[in-house]
Amino acid sequence: MIDLPLPLIASATAHYLICIWLITFFTFWLDKERSRNQNARRIPERTLLQLSLFGGWPAALLARHLLRHKTVKQPFSTYLDIIVIVEIMIIVGFSTYYLSSTQ
C-alpha cells in the first residue's frame, strides 16, 4: 500500500470536492436556463445524477433549492435522495472506522 501523507490526501480531496461542486451547480444552472427555451438542448438527467453520485450531491441539493429546479420531477428526485442517503452512510461509515482505528 502506498503511504501518502494525510495533508496531501486532505488537500487533494478538498480540491476535487470544490471542483465537482462547482461543475455540478453550474450544470444544474445551465439546465435550468435551457429549460426556459424550448429549442435548447437540455442536460440529460443521467448526467445530473452522475455528477451527484461523483460527490456533487451537496451542490445538487443547493442548486435545486436556490434555482427551484428539478424539485418535484420523478424519478429524478427519488434517485437523488437515494444517492444522498447512500453517500452520507458511506461518509459516516468511513468516519466511524477511522475514528475507532485511531484510538
Side-chain angles (χ1 to χ4, degrees):
M1 185 170 151
I2 299 172
D3 189 24
L4 295 173
L6 189 57
L8 177 62
I9 295 170
S11 175
T13 302
H15 283 91
Y16 171 79
L17 289 174
I18 289 169
C19 287
I20 195 70
W21 292 343
L22 290 173
I23 291 167
T24 302
F25 191 91
F26 174 75
T27 306
F28 269 76
W29 172 81
L30 184 61
D31 188 52
K32 175 69 173 185
E33 288 297 309
R34 289 180 177 180
S35 72
R36 295 178 180 159
N37 181 357
Q38 290 182 340
N39 297 328
R41 186 167 176 238
R42 300 284 301 275
I43 307 292
E45 287 184 356
R46 179 181 176 144
T47 301
L48 298 174
L49 290 170
Q50 286 173 335
L51 287 169
S52 300
L53 182 64
F54 296 144
W57 60 267
L61 294 177
L62 182 64
R64 278 180 42 170
H65 177 72
L66 293 179
L67 304 174
R68 295 188 182 110
H69 187 52
K70 302 273 187 198
T71 56
V72 291
K73 175 82 170 152
Q74 289 299 338
F76 181 87
S77 291
T78 301
Y79 293 154
L80 183 58
D81 291 343
I82 291 169
I83 289 170
V84 170
I85 291 167
V86 169
E87 292 206 7
I88 288 174
M89 289 171 55
I90 291 169
I91 291 167
V92 168
F94 275 120
S95 299
T96 303
Y97 174 77
Y98 176 76
L99 291 174
S100 66
S101 68
T102 58
Q103 293 178 359

